[in-house]
Amino acid sequence: MERPPAPDESLVSLTPEASASRRVPWGIVASACIAAIFAVLLWLGHELNEGDGAAFDHAVMLAMRVPGHPDLPRGPTWLPSAVRDVTALGSSTVLSFVVIATALFLWLRGRARTALLVLASTTLGAVAVTLIKALVGRSRPDLIGRLMDETSNSFPSGHAASSAMVYLTLATLLFPVVREPRMRAYLIGVALVLVGAIGISRVYLGVHWPSDVIAGWAFGSLWALLWWWIELRLMRRA
């Protein structure tokens, strides 16, 4: 009677100790990604502060004003007021209300962990944006007339970054509650439209350079993806 062939050692399942030793240290990877994002934004901010990229910023901002009249915005007379309403959707007051309301909704649905992630991601993100603003210290645009007053530093756009962090994070963290693919696509679509409109409104109002808004979008989107990934990891462990 022939003996069965010996199992291939490469196919034998790893012991828990060996498996643990081969796991990717995702905590370190996430920390490295955050550090890289900070480094890139700080470098970009200092480069822009020294004048690089000015041609692009100037061209976009001037395109939103009547030629030869930098204090007169393009469009009908009601447009500036409507744009102010849009930009308010990215204000700290509105975003705080949205975050708290969503966290309470998740908590009432029995998703306490997700509610805490919403609060943690948005709070830490706001602190990060404030820190980057202080380290870069870019002044507000003076190329065209501003349609509203702002006093903080310009880079990156807090409205663009915060709206991306909040609306995109909420859209992705609601996936465990909203499981239909069409509804998930709808949530992402609405979040992207909101974030895009808020960022454009900041340039139209003359309170941010376009590069400020682009940097804010990039930071906020990456921040939202990071916390979506954290939520997935926690769900798999649970």
Side-chain angles (χ1 to χ4, degrees):
M1 184 175 179
E2 296 182 359
R3 296 177 59 186
D8 188 349
E9 293 182 359
S10 63
L11 300 179
V12 177
S13 60
L14 296 174
T15 63
E17 293 79 4
S19 177
S21 65
R22 296 182 61 177
R23 289 176 185 169
V24 177
W26 291 113
I28 298 176
V29 172
S31 300
C33 290
I34 294 174
I37 294 170
F38 267 83
V40 170
L41 280 179
L42 288 175
W43 172 82
L44 178 62
H46 286 300
E47 288 295 314
L48 292 170
N49 217 16
E50 295 173 358
D52 295 342
F56 168 76
D57 283 338
H58 288 196
V60 173
M61 296 196 78
L62 289 175
M64 295 185 174
R65 291 294 187 268
V66 175
H69 300 278
D71 293 335
L72 296 179
R74 286 182 181 268
T77 56
W78 53 263
L79 186 57
S81 178
V83 172
R84 291 189 191 94
D85 293 337
V86 172
T87 208
L89 297 175
S91 66
S92 58
T93 302
V94 172
L95 292 179
S96 297
F97 176 80
V98 171
V99 168
I100 293 172
T102 304
L104 287 174
F105 167 78
L106 292 169
W107 179 73
L108 292 173
R109 287 292 301 267
R111 302 272 181 177
R113 182 189 63 206
T114 305
L116 291 175
L117 284 175
V118 169
L119 294 174
S121 65
T122 52
T123 302
L124 293 176
V127 172
V129 171
T130 302
L131 178 61
I132 294 173
K133 278 179 173 286
L135 292 175
V136 173
R138 192 184 193 189
S139 301
R140 295 278 176 173
D142 55 3
L143 179 66
I144 62 177
R146 300 180 195 173
L147 303 183
M148 63 185 303
D149 295 328
E150 293 286 357
T151 57
S152 62
N153 291 323
S154 188
F155 183 93
S157 168
H159 278 63
S162 298
S163 62
M165 284 187 294
V166 171
Y167 293 125
L168 293 178
T169 297
L170 296 186
T172 54
L173 292 183
L174 284 173
F175 279 6
V177 180
V178 181
R179 297 185 179 276
E180 298 86 351
R182 288 187 301 174
M183 294 303 298
R184 289 183 172 183
Y186 172 76
L187 288 175
I188 292 294
V190 171
L192 289 174
V193 170
L194 275 174
V195 172
I198 291 168
I200 294 172
S201 73
R202 304 303 287 170
V203 180
Y204 182 86
L205 294 172
V207 295
H208 273 296
W209 300 105
S211 53
D212 298 336
V213 172
I214 294 173
W217 281 338
F219 177 81
S221 299
L222 291 173
W223 193 263
L225 286 174
L226 172 64
W227 286 88
W228 173 68
W229 172 81
I230 291 174
E231 169 71 356
L232 285 180
R233 295 289 300 175
L234 292 177
M235 287 177 62
R236 289 171 183 172
R237 289 185 178 183

